[in-house]
Structure formats: C-alpha cells, structure tokens
C-alpha cells in the first residue's frame, strides 16, 4: 500500500528517497484518504462546523511547555535570522493560540484536517510516521451543560454511519474516575499516575496493571484491589448511573455526584438524539492526556480488535487559559484517520497498482493505417465528453497500436471505437468494458457520430444503477 | 479578508501571532479556497489526472542546486540528529524526485495542490506570503508531439470556464524565441539574459527594456532594435505562423522552423478541441525559468489588468534527468490559486464576518417559560434533519432567549419554530429566513410535527430553484 522507497543515488549524489518517517501518497490511496476527509467534513458542516487552517509552523514559544517531556519530539526550524519557529505537533495548540488571538469569538465549532510532525522513532509497519494527519473537531465556548458533549457523540455516530463501520463509543467522566480513586484510598498526588495505569487496561490484563500500581507507583495492595473492583465495571449508561447511585461507599464523593448528574443529563440528550444505544459507560476508560476535565470517550470498531480506537476525545475546560486569556471551555474529538484508512482500505477491491485509475470512456481507433489514426476525431470526441463532465481519455499517439489501446480501455467503463468503415458512414461503435481478450471481437453497438455524448450519458447512468 | 493578527502577549510571554509571512485561514475564505481546489481537481480528474502528495520537507540534497541563487530562500529544519531536511520550495522538484524514484512509471498525468515555503521578504498587501499554495498539473512521459501540450491548453480553458472567468492564453515557443534572438544577432551566451529582459515587457515599456539590454547586457543598439521589431508582434496562431513563415530573414533558422512546425501541429489540435480562439501567439512572452524547452504559456484574465497572470507553464524536457535517470519529457501548468482567490473573492457578496456561515435550518422555540425550552424536542428535530443530510442548528441553551434565536436564525434558509400551543397540537411552524426585525411577527406556516423533514426538504428544493 505504501509507496515503495527506492533509495537509489541520483547523479548529484543525493539519495532518492523521502525523509525518514515520511511517505508519498499517490493515486488510489490518496483518493481514499480524500474520501475519508470529505465524508467527515460533510457531517461537520451539517452541524455548523467552521474550517480553520493554520500555518505548518508556529512561533517556538507558542509550542513550548505544552507537551511535557514530549517537547523533545518537536521539529525545530533552523535559525535563519528572525523568529524562531517549530513545526506544529498537534492541532489543539494552534487552535488554542487562534482562540486566544480572537477573544471576540465567544463560541465556535471549528474543524481542522492537517498534517502534524513528531520527531519520534517511526514504526512504519504499525503505521506510525513522523508526518501524519490529524482530524480535529472542537466545540469551544460557554453552552448549557452537556449539550455540546451530546452533539459530539451524535457527530461520531453520523460519521461512522457514513463509513458503514459498526462501532461502540466508550464513555467515562474524569470526575467520576477521580472520585472512585479517592474513594478507593488513592492520595491526591497519585491520582494521575494511577489513572495512566488504568488507561492500559485495554491492552494489559488487570493483574499486570495492578502489579504496576503496587510496584511502580507504591499503591497499597488493598487500595489497588478496590480500584480493580470499580474500574472493571461497564454497561449501558442507565445501568451504570443506577449502580453508582446505589453504591453507598460512594455517596459522600462530591466529584462522583457531579459526574453522575452530568451523565444523567447526557443520557436524556442522547435518547433525544437516538444515539444512546451506541454508547457504553466503561469505568476503565481513563485517556492519557492530563488536561481532560469532564466527559472522555473513545470509539472502538466492532469488526476489528486489532486496530484499537478509531476516534477519541473529551472535555478540556482549562487548556485555552494557558495563553493568559479568559478560560474557554472546550469539548473535542479527534478522528484517527490513519486507522480509518486501514479499515476502509482492507474493504476495497484489491487493485494491481496504486496508480491504476478509472475513467468513464476510452476512445480508440482501429483505423491507424488507412485513416491516419483519427487523432483529430478522437480529440473532438474527448472534448465533447469533457465538456459534458465525463472522464475521457485517448492514446496520445497519432497512430496508436490496437493492443495498447485495448489494454488502456480495460480501465474504462465504456469504449468508443472509431473504425474506417463506420466513420465513412458517420458512425462510431460504443461498447462496455472489455471483460477479457476474446471480447475484442465484440465491436459494440453502432451509433451515429453526433450522438456520442448522449449515448454515453445514457449508458453510464444505466451502468451506475446496475448492481455490480 | 486576512485574519487580523493581534500580537498580544500570552501569560507565558509568547507573542500571540502567526510567524512572519504566514496567516490563518478560517471560515468563508477557506471554503472559497477549497471550492477553487475542488473545481480545478474535478477538471483534472476528468482528464485522467492522478493526485500526488509528498512530505512537506525533503532531504536537503534533493533541493540543492535546483534553484540557483534563490536557494538562499529555502527553509531548513534544525539538525536534531539524523538526516538534514528542508521545507519544499515548490512542487516541481518533489515531483521530479518521485519520478526518478519510480522509473517504472513511463507516463503519468499527476496533480498536486499543496503549500510551499520561501524565506523571502513577505509583501502581505500584494499577497506575497512565506507559506502559500501551489497547484500544479504535469503530463510526464513520451507522447506524440504537441498532443499533451494541446490537452493542457484545453484543461486551462475548461478550468476557467468552470470559474466563469474570461481569459486569454498567451503562447510562445522557446525555440522560436531563441531563433529570433539569433537572427537578430544576439550571441548564444546572451540569449538567456536577453530573454529575461524581454520577459519584463508585460510590466515595462519597450524603451526601458531596450535600455536594460543595451546598458546592462551590452547588446548593440541595432541588435536591440531588431529584437524589438520581432517581439512586439502578436496575433492569432494562424496569423503569426504565416508571418514567421513569410519572413525571409528567418528562413535559415532551424530553431524557428522546428518551433513553427510545432505551432502548426498544435493549431490543428486546438481547432479539433475547439479552443483555438482562446489563445494568442505573443512573441514577447519569455517566462523567467531557464528550464523551459518548448511551448510556453501564460493565462491573463480579461476583466482585471491588475492581477497579472493567473496560470502559467510550459514544456521542460530536461529537468527530471537532473537526478541521473532517463530524461522524462514533461509539460506542466501551475494555477495561481491566490490570484484566482482574489478575483473570485471580489465577486462574492460582502459578508460581515469571515466566520459567518450558512445553515439550512435553525430550530427555535418561543416556549421557554412554560415548557422548559423544548431542548429535547429541538434535539430530536435536529437529529432527524442531520440524518437526512440537512444542515441544522439550534441554540445550545436549555432556555434560550428569543432575540438571540432570531439573530441566529438570520443565517438559516429556513426556521422551524416550536411554540407551546402548536406543540400541544402536534404541530410546529416553518418559515423562510427573516428579512428584517418586523418579520418576527410572521410566525410561518403550520405543519404537522412528524412531517418536518419532508416539508423542509420540499421548501429547500423550492428555494434552490428560485433565482435570488
């Protein structure tokens, strides 16, 4: 699927390859990627999403102190005089910078699909690159509680319906999770470390996660066991809300009460939007990033267990105030476009080459010897088809070989054939795609030359309603 | 139009701005830009164009020695260990690198729309940025003469027809131009310097261009006058071919003979494709870049003389062999997307804000006090509309103010209104966009609640056929 690197030397001595951890995209792969972007964008626009595009590099100061120890993965531009800049590491910080610059914008639903850069050890086989796409949608501003959160979950449902991918949205709430850790006896300064251990439960068994807590993070054995009892629970929103409310050991936890009230309100909204059956409440969901402050979620495809989450996000109400402006509450989702690409690419037909492409009509001629190959006639017909919005191609040779044209016509849905005898009668032949070499004897249906566009349109629309 | 920079300080001390020579794109501007890309892409796909996307940075060696003295404008990445890389300067060199890596690809029509980087002195008012878009289409490989060249001119015609922009394609041929200079008495080593003087004729009067040749480039006065006599000529392809053939002083110039034969062949193809009336043969067109080797062209809008050329290109048969592989003949066009943007932005309606956006339906309620604001009902209706592919919004407040909703509904083509009395009868009101405040009294047409989607679809399609 990936373009093969061929690290040959060029005449000038430069290695002929893309830089480490990057790749070219071409042809069918790129069209599938664009289809993914277009499908997501269509849904976001329906919800009033506004596109944002920021420069590929930012002032270095904007990025610093936002990524903790991952800051070492930031690509810097060389100091060539003037400002110090770095390539963007994600799309969240540029959005926060934009929001801080536009303090007059009180509410916005923005989306951005763009490449980000991490000077990491690439793992091409597992699809980890140094240059890769992110696709973010965030609702920023003050709204009534859980309404934007519910809309984001509705958007997730619409996006994966559009891809025809069955999925489950796992939900949790940071305040509930923190309250559970507190109730289990975790001291406040250990809450985030415990949380990142719990985050590994989708990859590791409980025994190993517990071992990490006890041995690496000095959590007493009985506390770890209580954590285990809580976080292994999951079920429908209704079931889990009732379970948490009924648990007397949690009744004095204010964080849990606030979180459960949020979830109750969210449930009523999800029921109104008809997406309550898409979610499950999973107390083991923790999410790595520190800045989440409320609802968190992760989308898991039902068909494939290997791919991991295909979208994830949550509420982060404190991030924008890092730039010294008013806090702007935000809830956002990031679609894992590379993983969605992997799932959809597995579904599409095996193609012999990423450069293979389709066309609607190939215009060929049998008449090379006597007639001079009808190059002007083939151009005229192509131009008529292009003008009608139809994809059309012909051999760019004055006198093309017949076999080469048959090969090229196999990519086309229809073939227009110019033969000498037919042309002298003001006619051409029109036929559907060649299925095999022996089909070459079938010269298709005779149609008047001046009706080519009309007949092609008729046959193309007939083809597009016929099931394959 | 450009997003206003507001270089305030953030709490961390970082200046809140984008780096010098870069900008954010948001909302309406970005949608117009995407529309430009989509329109061009649609035409290119019709012609069998294959998309290519390359990394934003390349190995530094790939870029070196390709841009002459402009190499100093290349942005370098900091040496953080590993390979030395630089941001791409254009899309031609990455394409040549890709072609050299894929020597099995004998013929390709590729397009690429992407940002490029130049560490130049920006001139924001004149639209010159350090980060800007290029949109390139090239036909690479061996084809019969002038067939791909003619197709490129046909594509130019289709693209600007799609934008409804009237234009002229100025043509010239490097071998004709070189032959004219030789015939005028220019020594071989002065041909490129004289050519770059001639290239300024679209901005400077002949007297100044002549002065530059005589004073700066040591061209004798009588030679300059002969150059002037040749290059001031322009006309239709037919006229100019005949003029050049009839000029006895040029009859022993082999370059001119080859070039004129090319133009004659091109004319026959342009006539077949019906685009001969879009071109003019202009002997003053020289094009700056050294690597052009045959046909060259520039597209000038008829409406605006200030914008300059909106697309340009030519044949360059020697470039790819710089990487030490077989030469791959190429002919290409680069669309000036920023200038096309400027022309189209001037046509669109003045909008009060780049963040303003349209929606199909705004769902509002009058019933805040008695009924609790119908938040669940508004969500249900929104979800039904979204599921039908209709853009819909509602206030994310449980009990929204009426005036705020009226303001928001002015962006919508239709408004669905939920009132208490109507809701109790299983009805809602549906009305078209508010024209003014007094329209608020018009509460629209009563429709059954369960027919909202159907009625909205009916009215939206009625609106889209009504002329504005």
């Amino acid at each position: 699927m990936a373009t093969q690197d061929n690290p040959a030397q060029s005449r000038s001595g430069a290695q002929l390859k893309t830089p480490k951890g990057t790749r070219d995209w071409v042809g069918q792969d790129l069209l599938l990627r664009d289809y993914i972007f277009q499908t997501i964008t269509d849904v976001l626009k329906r919800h009033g999403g506004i596109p944002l595009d920021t420069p590929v590099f930012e002032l270095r100061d904007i990025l610093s102190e936002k990524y903790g120890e991952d800051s070492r993965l930031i690509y810097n531009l060389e100091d060539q005089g003037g400002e110090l800049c770095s390539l963007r590491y994600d799309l969240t910080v540029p959005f926060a910078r934009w929001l801080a610059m536009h303090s007059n914008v009180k509410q916005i639903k923005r989306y951005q699909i763009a490449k980000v850069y991490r000077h990491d050890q690439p793992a091409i086989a597992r699809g980890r690159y140094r240059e890769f796409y992110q696709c973010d949608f965030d609702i920023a501003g003050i709204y009534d509680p859980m309404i934007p959160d519910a809309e984001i979950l509705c958007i997730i449902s619409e996006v994966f319906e559009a891809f025809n991918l069955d999925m489950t949205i796992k939900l949790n709430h940071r305040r509930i999770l923190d309250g559970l850790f507190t109730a289990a006896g975790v001291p406040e300064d250990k809450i985030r470390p415990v949380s990142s251990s719990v985050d590994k439960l989708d990859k590791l068994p409980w025994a190993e996660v517990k071992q990490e807590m006890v041995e690496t993070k000095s959590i007493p054995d009985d506390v770890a066991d209580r954590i285990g009892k809580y976080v292994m629970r999951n079920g429908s929103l209704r079931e889990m809300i009732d379970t948490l409310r009924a648990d007397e050991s949690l009744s004095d936890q204010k964080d849990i009460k606030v979180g459960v009230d949020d979830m109750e309100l969210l449930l009523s909204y999800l029921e109104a939007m008809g997406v309550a059956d898409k979610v499950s409440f999973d107390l083991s969901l923790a999410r790595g990033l520190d800045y989440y402050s409320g609802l968190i979620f992760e989308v898991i495809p039902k068909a494939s267990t290997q791919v991991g989450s295909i979208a994830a996000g949550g509420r982060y109400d404190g991030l924008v105030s890092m730039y010294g402006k008013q806090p702007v509450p935000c809830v956002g989702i990031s679609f894992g476009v590379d993983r969605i690409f992997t799932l959809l690419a597995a579904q599409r037909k095996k193609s012999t080459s990423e450069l293979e492409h389709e066309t609607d009509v190939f215009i060929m001629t049998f008449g090379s010897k006597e007639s001079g190959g009808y190059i002007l006639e083939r151009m005229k017909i192509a131009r008529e088809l292009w003008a009608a919005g139809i994809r059309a191609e012909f051999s760019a040779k004055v006198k093309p070989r017949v076999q080469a044209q048959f090969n090229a016509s196999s990519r086309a849905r229809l073939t227009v054939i110019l033969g000498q005898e037919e042309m002298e009668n003001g006619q051409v032949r029109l036929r559907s795609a060649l299925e095999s070499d022996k089909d070459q004897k079938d010269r298709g249906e005779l149609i008047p030359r001046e009706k080519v566009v009309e007949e092609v349109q008729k046959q193309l629309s007939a083809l597009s309603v016929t099931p394959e």
Side-chain angles (χ1 to χ4, degrees), chain A residues 58-66 84-86 93 323:
Chain A
E58 295 275 343
L59 294 181
R60 196 166 300 165
D61 285 345
I62 294 285
L63 302 193
S64 50
E65 292 168 44
K66 303 300 179 302
L84 291 181
C85 297
S86 301
V93 164
Y323 294 103

Side-chain angles (χ1 to χ4, degrees), chain A residues 4-155:
Chain A
Q4 281 303 309
D5 277 6
N6 171 14
Q9 296 281 122
S10 74
R11 187 183 294 168
S12 65
Q15 270 207 311
L16 282 176
K17 63 186 278 293
T18 61
K20 186 174 176 182
T22 69
R23 57 167 290 197
D24 295 319
W25 288 81
V26 68
Q28 291 301 322
D29 282 357
L30 189 42
L31 294 175
L32 176 58
R33 197 187 76 184
D34 284 346
Y35 159 78
I36 291 169
F37 294 163
Q38 193 58 51
T39 303
I40 296 174
T41 304
D42 284 348
V43 173
L44 300 178
K45 280 185 185 164
R46 235 184 268 160
H47 286 260
I50 290 175
L52 176 69
D53 178 34
T54 61
V56 80
F57 48 82
E58 295 275 343
L59 294 181
R60 196 166 300 165
D61 285 345
I62 294 285
L63 302 193
S64 50
E65 292 168 44
K66 303 300 179 302
Y67 302 108
E69 65 177 29
D70 283 349
S71 293
R72 69 194 159 79
L73 303 182
I74 292 174
Y75 273 96
N76 291 324
L77 292 181
E78 197 175 279
D79 181 2
Q80 294 171 289
E83 303 158 339
L84 291 181
C85 297
S86 301
L87 299 189
R88 64 183 163 220
Y89 180 87
D90 65 11
L91 303 177
T92 308
V93 164
F95 177 48
R97 187 265 303 153
W98 184 89
L99 275 177
M101 272 171 66
H102 296 82
S103 47
N104 58 323
V105 177
K106 298 300 177 204
Q107 296 186 333
I108 189 170
K109 297 173 176 178
R110 94 84 180 73
Y111 63 90
Q112 183 168 10
I113 302 179
K115 287 174 176 174
V116 300
Y117 298 88
R118 295 181 188 183
H119 200 268
D120 208 347
Q121 199 50 39
I124 309 300
R126 282 185 288 129
R128 199 168 73 202
Y129 284 84
R130 288 178 164 186
E131 176 187 61
F132 60 96
Y133 265 97
Q134 287 197 335
C135 171
D136 281 18
F137 175 73
D138 296 82
I139 304 182
I142 296 168
Y143 302 83
D144 277 353
M146 304 316 281
I147 297 179
D149 309 64
E151 186 169 358
I152 294 243
L153 299 180
C154 182
I155 284 170

Side-chain angles (χ1 to χ4, degrees), chain A residues 226-246:
Chain A
R226 278 198 295 276
I227 294 171
K229 200 187 69 176
Y230 289 133
V231 300
M232 304 300 267
R233 293 184 197 158
N234 61 70
S236 75
L237 259 177
R238 182 75 272 147
E239 287 162 9
M240 293 298 291
I241 289 168
D242 293 344
T243 306
L244 288 166
R245 289 230 162 106

Side-chain angles (χ1 to χ4, degrees), chain A residues 132-268:
Chain A
F132 60 96
Y133 265 97
Q134 287 197 335
C135 171
D136 281 18
F137 175 73
D138 296 82
I139 304 182
I142 296 168
Y143 302 83
D144 277 353
M146 304 316 281
I147 297 179
D149 309 64
E151 186 169 358
I152 294 243
L153 299 180
C154 182
I155 284 170
I156 293 172
S157 171
E158 286 178 44
V159 163
F160 290 105
E161 265 165 37
F163 288 130
N164 216 0
L165 287 175
D166 250 2
M167 54 83 213
T168 304
I169 310 172
K170 284 197 211 172
L171 298 182
N172 201 354
H173 195 294
R174 266 287 164 88
R175 295 190 70 176
I176 295 176
L177 200 58
D178 292 359
L180 290 176
F181 295 150
T182 307
V186 178
E188 210 184 318
D189 63 328
K190 291 275 172 67
I191 284 183
R192 287 278 74 80
V194 162
S195 186
S196 62
S197 294
V198 168
D199 193 41
K200 295 174 185 162
L201 271 176
D202 57 341
K203 296 186 194 81
L204 300 177
W206 166 246
E208 285 182 47
V209 170
K210 181 184 163 183
Q211 194 182 3
E212 179 182 297
M213 283 185 199
V214 174
E215 291 178 10
T216 321
K217 296 175 178 171
S218 319
I219 300 297
D221 202 78
D222 62 324
V223 174
D225 282 339
R226 278 198 295 276
I227 294 171
K229 200 187 69 176
Y230 289 133
V231 300
M232 304 300 267
R233 293 184 197 158
N234 61 70
S236 75
L237 259 177
R238 182 75 272 147
E239 287 162 9
M240 293 298 291
I241 289 168
D242 293 344
T243 306
L244 288 166
R245 289 230 162 106
D247 190 330
E248 286 179 11
S249 68
L250 305 175
S251 59
D252 59 342
Q253 281 297 326
K254 181 164 177 285
D255 276 335
I256 293 183
K257 187 176 176 331
V258 170
V260 171
D261 286 350
D262 271 358
M263 294 305 242
E264 181 84 72
L265 189 58
L266 179 69
L267 175 57
S268 69

